[in-house]
Every structure is written in C-alpha cells, then in structure tokens.
Amino acid sequence: MKAIEILEKAHDSSEPLVAPVRLDLSITGACNTDCPYCWQTDHTNVGNLTLENLSTVIKDLCSWRPPWAIDITGGEPTIWKGFIEFVSLCRDKGIHNILVNTNAIKIANKNYAKKIIEAGVTTFGVSIDTLNPEKHLELRRFPFSKMQKALDNLYELKKTHKFGVSLNAVLSKLVTPEEVAAVKDYANDQGFGFFCQAVHLGPAVDKYRLSEQERDDRDRVLTWREESYHGDKNLKKVQNTDKFSRETHPLQKPGGRCFKAFTTLKIVINGDVRVCWNGPAPIGNILRQPILEIWKGAEAKRAREYIKNNKCSCLFDCDIYESLGLERITEKVMAKHGTDY
C-alpha cells in the first residue's frame, strides 16, 4: 500500500493507522532574548518538561516506529537543561531529522555549535528577519554582530559536518520587502535555505502586523526568485496562498485532505499534546498518559474528525507548508522500515 492510500484510509476512518512521522516539541518557554512578537509571552517560563519525561516519550514512540523528524522549538531550545542529551537520545533511537529552531545566540560559540551538531542536530532553523543591524536589534534584542558570528560558524562547520541551515524570517512592517529579499539572497549565497512567515502573535503584534497589501508586497519581491525554491514545489504553493483567506488554501479545495492529525504530534511546555497548533483542543498530556495511549485515544479521534470536517482555520505559512509535506515523509518512513502497515 502506498503512503497516500493509507493516509486517505486513515483520514476517512479517523483512525491512527500509522505511527506518528513528525513530532513538534515546544520544549521550554524560557528564552535568552525577548523578541516583541514572540508567541511565547513569558520568557521566564521553563515549563514542566524534563529530560526524564521526554525520554519516555521518545522511547515509547520509537518502540512502534521512529518518527522521521522532530522539530524542537521554544522559547530557546538550546538553553533547556538536558538539551544535548535529549538530541543524542533522538539520534540514537533512530529519528532521521532533528531540527532545532534557534535565535542563534549560543551558536555564536563555535565549540558549542560543533557539540550539538555532533550530538545529532541535522538542521538549524535560524530566526533572522533583516541584515540591518539597527532593525535586528529592535526585533531580536541582541547585537547583529553576534548573529553574524553564529552564521559564520555554521558556514564554516558545514565544510566538515553534514547538516542543513534555514534562515527563517518573520515578516513585519519594520522590514521592507527589499530587506527581506536581501536575507533570502544571503541565504542563497551561503548555501542555506530560506523560509518566511508573517507576524502572528506576541505583545507587539499590532505594531508589526502586516496588512494584506504589505504582505502581498513582500511575497511579490520573493516570488520571482525561483532559484531559491531548490525544487521544493510546496514552498511555491505556500507562497501563492492568500494568508488572509481560505479560498486559495491548497488543503481546503475540493478533494483536499489535511493529514496532520493522522501523522503528527505536538507537545507544549506543560505537557499538553495536540495534533495542530491552530486546530482542535489538546488530546492528552504526557505527564498523565503514555504518548501512544494518547495517540490512539478517544480525544485524538475527535481531533481527527474535527480536521476531517474542515473546521480548521490555519493560514499560517509554516502550518500550510508542514501539512503539504506529510505524505512525502510518510513515504520516507515506510521506505526506511520496509513497511506498508
């Protein structure tokens, strides 16, 4: 059975027919900076996740079949106690892609950057909105010289280690379309990837949020740089989606199916488990239930029904991009383990 066939069967039955192929983990709310539009509003909130309880989650998931990818975010993941040990565990248990989203402050220390690469990090998502030092300081609250040092470290380490880098920009009123394009061009020159999304949450969202016209202006200056897609057609689909309307959403069109609830788990700092950041309510909590019990439970089935009935409202760039890639990574898991379920 092909991946699309089993995912469509899971979608139509609302049953967990495959092991989760993607785990998104908001590992801490704590951070070593204070970006004004961060969705984590309390940057001192460490949360309830520990190396011990997360190790149990990883071991349980991998006892069925290791997810293809884990996407670790925060807060700032690199300051979480036990981060390096956790990355090593994920690698040792067979998780193929270990992505860490970071402000890159700690990556400015080349020895630390090398250490976490050798522990198992396969991709860095570096949060950077502009190459303008003054605007960077306003938006990211630390000197651009430190960001430049981190980027130089990653560029040099890529010569001796195998890992990926994506520069991830938040689009805001402060950063002009041309400045966004400059970040993308810099990424291309360095052999890095690039992704962008608009201001969505945070205490200063009203100050920085884009109007529809402003978002169109930024999309327009990026769209013609076709070479930066590196053959990834899903990036182009996200680029061409109207973020202010569901009408162009590729998964809301007739026949469209979102497979998030049938492939993906998301864990937040208090232990709650969701299937989508912007979708239905939590389906359980890892501090009270084993993760596979949650995945196969009644609340998870209700969440699948919710998504199947198109009640979701996600128009956030990364949510759309993630959904579009789930069939592909399910195929990779099936091929790697020689299974058709």
Side-chain angles (χ1 to χ4, degrees), residues 69-296:
I70 180 169
D71 189 332
I72 309 171
T73 186
E76 173 52 39
T78 61
I79 68 171
W80 182 75
K81 185 179 180 182
F83 175 72
I84 292 177
E85 294 86 350
F86 180 69
V87 168
S88 295
L89 174 70
C90 292
R91 176 200 62 198
D92 294 344
K93 288 297 177 181
I95 298 177
H96 179 82
N97 188 20
I98 302 169
L99 185 150
V100 56
N101 292 287
T102 178
N103 57 34
I105 290 175
K106 292 192 70 174
I107 310 303
N109 180 325
K110 190 174 183 179
N111 288 333
Y112 177 80
K114 182 180 178 183
K115 190 173 183 178
I116 63 174
I117 291 165
E118 293 177 348
V121 171
T122 62
T123 309
F124 291 89
V126 177
S127 299
I128 176 173
D129 310 324
T130 175
L131 305 179
N132 179 301
E134 291 76 23
K135 292 184 179 182
H136 173 86
L137 184 62
E138 177 176 340
L139 293 170
R140 294 296 175 179
R141 306 290 172 85
F142 66 93
F144 187 78
S145 58
K146 183 163 285 192
M147 171 62 77
Q148 188 64 66
K149 175 62 175 170
L151 296 176
D152 291 345
N153 287 343
L154 293 175
Y155 180 78
E156 290 300 318
L157 286 165
K158 276 177 66 66
K159 296 176 181 178
T160 54
H161 295 73
K162 187 178 179 179
F163 64 94
V165 180
S166 176
L167 303 189
N168 299 338
V170 175
L171 306 178
S172 71
K173 285 181 180 294
L174 186 65
V175 181
T176 68
E178 292 74 21
E179 288 171 328
V180 176
V183 176
K184 192 172 189 179
D185 288 342
Y186 175 82
N188 290 340
D189 292 343
Q190 300 296 100
F192 299 162
F194 175 82
F195 191 81
C196 63
Q197 59 194 25
V199 170
H200 183 58
L201 293 168
V205 65
D206 290 337
K207 178 179 178 181
Y208 297 110
R209 192 200 308 266
L210 299 173
S211 68
E212 186 169 358
Q213 181 60 56
E214 288 168 331
R215 177 63 201 255
D216 286 346
D217 290 342
R218 284 151 182 80
D219 279 347
R220 192 175 299 112
V221 79
L222 295 171
T223 299
W224 53 265
R225 287 171 164 77
E226 296 291 339
E227 75 282 357
S228 66
Y229 289 120
H230 299 299
D232 189 339
K233 295 179 181 179
N234 289 336
L235 277 175
K236 190 169 184 178
K237 288 181 182 178
V238 173
Q239 199 80 56
N240 292 336
T241 299
D242 180 357
K243 313 308 183 304
F244 294 81
S245 167
R246 289 161 60 93
E247 292 180 2
T248 60
H249 194 308
L251 297 174
Q252 299 297 334
K253 295 178 180 179
R257 288 180 170 96
C258 178
F259 295 129
K260 240 177 224 172
F262 310 93
T263 57
T264 306
L265 286 170
K266 301 178 185 292
I267 301 173
V268 297
I269 63 175
N270 67 355
D272 277 352
V273 181
R274 310 180 73 100
V275 295
C276 178
W277 294 130
N278 295 308
I283 61 174
N285 188 292
I286 63 165
L287 305 182
R288 297 190 291 272
Q289 299 166 269
I291 190 66
L292 291 179
E293 181 180 301
I294 294 171
W295 180 244
K296 298 175 182 179

